[in-house]
């Protein structure tokens, strides 16, 4: 049943992807147009006794003292015992060409021994880039997806209560240098580099440009990058928008990916197997312990009650089927595997053996 279900799933995938065409924007990125990561350290307040233990997290106590000093409150030399404060690390992704005054989401993770950030509020935190400059400031109430409660003898938790998010929680203060209109060259980079895919993208772009601009605008640099020459009569934004909407059928190498931990087998559409004969059998050994109690006969002069071990061993090796596999296409390959009637673990073992025999004409990737 499992093998039959696997066959149906793989056949469905192969049929739907055989003639599938995708947009160029889904398989390629424009070089230089990317996000930037920003990072900050801050404090979360308003927790209901689930914050950091200040004795175990001295950085939280020092941060709290520094914050109060900036507000004109001197508590130096005072032993703090509050459990409503937690030190956190705040991260965010800075979108390309974002303007000052815009807002982005931030992710918050506990740094100390806080048990939950539920109900907390992030105090104003500066977010810096890799160059050390401040690009955003984050503040606001935290949305936590999990919870953790505990009593004297029992605890209950679900999800992760020490991490959360603030939607639109960061305000952009500094723009990243550079504008899209100032880019000297427009270069497409394939997410999965491939010579065939690169030529198909190139042909699709030039076919479109010859019909619209009466000239070819793309040439390949290598199997990863395609250089675009923008016509002067169109703006960069409109030109890239037209290019990204073109449809291309990407190519991929023949590859089989297996995961023995959960029994996942993914077979690519171009995988082929040379003609081989395969048989597979499983040996099952069952050992059962059934100890019995031995008692002396009635009125016996001597004797004692003892436990005598009793072991039953049963070996079972079902008859294995032999099948001839010839994988000229994906459907025939899966049909041949299904004839043997295997579970995913057996299919993984057979694919590994076929690869060792040199009959699997594909890359075998084990995760």
């Amino acid at each position: 049943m499992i093998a039959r279900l696997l066959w149906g799933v793989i056949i469905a995938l192969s049929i739907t992807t055989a003639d599938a065409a995708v947009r160029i924007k889904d398989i390629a990125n424009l070089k230089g147009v990317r996000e930037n990561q920003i990072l900050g350290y801050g404090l979360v307040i308003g927790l209901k006794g689930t914050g950091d233990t200040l004795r175990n997290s001295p950085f939280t106590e020092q941060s709290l003292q520094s914050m109060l000093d900036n507000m004109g409150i001197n508590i130096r030399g005072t032993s703090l015992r509050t459990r409503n404060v937690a030190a956190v690390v705040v991260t965010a992704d800075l979108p390309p060409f974002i303007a000052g005054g815009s807002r982005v989401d931030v992710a918050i993770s506990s740094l100390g021994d806080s048990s939950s950030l539920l109900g907390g509020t992030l105090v104003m935190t500066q977010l810096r880039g890799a160059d050390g400059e401040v690009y955003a400031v984050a503040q606001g109430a935290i949305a936590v997806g999990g919870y953790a409660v505990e009593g004297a003898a029992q605890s209950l938790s679900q999800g992760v209560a020490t991490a959360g998010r603030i939607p639109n929680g960061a305000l952009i203060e500094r723009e990243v240098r550079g504008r899209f209109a100032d880019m000297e060259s427009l270069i497409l980079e394939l997410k999965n580099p491939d010579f065939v895919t690169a030529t198909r993208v190139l042909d699709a772009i030039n076919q479109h440009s010859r019909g619209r601009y009466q000239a070819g605008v793309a040439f390949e640099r290598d199997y990863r990058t395609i250089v675009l020459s923008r016509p002067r009569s169109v703006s960069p934004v409109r030109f890239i928008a037209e290019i990204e909407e073109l449809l291309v059928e990407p190519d991929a190498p023949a590859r089989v990916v297996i995961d023995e931990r959960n029994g996942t087998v993914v077979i690519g559409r171009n995988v082929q197997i040379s003609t081989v004969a395969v048989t597979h059998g499983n040996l099952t050994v069952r050992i059962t312990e059934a100890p019995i109690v031995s008692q002396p006969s009635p009125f016996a002069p001597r004797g004692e009650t003892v436990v005598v071990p009793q072991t039953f061993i049963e070996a079972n090796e079902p008859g294995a089927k032999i099948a001839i596999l010839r994988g000229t296409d994906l459907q025939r390959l899966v049909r041949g595997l299904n004839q043997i009637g295997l579970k995913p673990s057996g299919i993984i073992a057979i694919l590994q053996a076929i690869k060792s025999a040199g009959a699997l004409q594909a890359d075998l990737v084990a995760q």
Side-chain angles (χ1 to χ4, degrees), residues 119-364:
T121 301
L122 177 68
V123 181
M124 185 173 59
T125 302
Q126 296 179 345
L127 303 181
R128 302 177 181 270
D131 55 358
E133 298 291 340
V134 177
Y135 286 91
V137 176
Q139 182 173 273
I142 304 175
V144 179
Y147 62 86
V149 293
E150 60 180 11
Q154 190 176 6
S155 62
L156 178 63
S157 63
Q158 180 177 356
V160 179
T162 55
R165 298 183 64 86
I166 304 180
N168 295 327
L171 184 64
I172 303 302
E173 298 291 345
R174 181 192 297 266
E175 298 180 8
V176 180
R177 295 179 181 179
R179 295 184 303 171
F180 183 65
D182 298 335
M183 297 181 62
E184 297 180 358
S185 59
L186 300 177
I187 300 177
L188 291 177
E189 291 185 338
L190 297 180
K191 298 178 182 178
N192 297 314
D194 185 81
F195 288 104
V196 176
T197 303
T199 56
R200 290 178 180 176
V201 172
L202 178 70
D203 295 341
I205 295 176
N206 285 333
Q207 182 180 1
H208 169 76
S209 63
R210 290 190 181 98
R212 184 172 179 83
Y213 306 110
Q214 289 74 46
V217 298
F219 65 92
E220 69 277 16
R221 176 179 295 176
D222 49 43
Y223 77 121
R224 178 190 296 270
T225 57
I226 298 172
V227 182
L228 304 177
S229 177
R230 178 179 61 88
R232 296 184 178 181
S233 59
V234 62
S235 65
V237 175
R238 182 175 294 277
F239 177 65
I240 294 299
E242 293 178 0
I243 297 300
E244 288 186 338
E245 289 298 321
L246 299 178
L247 298 179
V248 175
E249 183 181 351
D251 192 34
R255 184 171 297 165
V256 177
V257 181
I258 60 176
D259 190 342
E260 297 187 33
R261 293 171 296 180
N262 52 25
T264 300
V265 181
V266 179
I267 303 176
R269 181 171 50 124
N270 299 321
V271 173
Q272 294 188 9
I273 292 182
S274 302
T275 303
V276 290
V278 177
T279 181
H280 184 79
N282 295 321
L283 175 63
T284 302
V285 179
R286 179 179 300 175
I287 302 176
T288 305
E289 296 288 348
I292 60 175
V293 178
S294 177
Q295 293 181 337
S297 302
F299 306 106
R302 293 181 180 179
E304 59 182 0
T305 301
V306 295
V307 178
V308 179
Q310 187 176 16
T311 304
F312 298 95
I313 301 178
E314 178 184 0
N316 182 22
E317 185 174 9
K321 297 181 180 179
I322 186 169
I324 297 178
L325 301 183
R326 177 181 298 173
T328 56
D329 53 33
L330 182 59
Q331 287 88 346
R332 294 186 181 180
L333 170 60
V334 177
R335 188 181 300 114
L337 291 174
N338 288 334
Q339 289 178 359
I340 311 177
L342 296 175
K343 294 182 180 180
S345 58
I347 295 178
I348 292 176
I350 284 184
L351 290 175
Q352 291 175 334
I354 293 176
K355 180 63 176 179
S356 300
L360 180 61
Q361 313 306 328
D363 296 332
L364 185 62

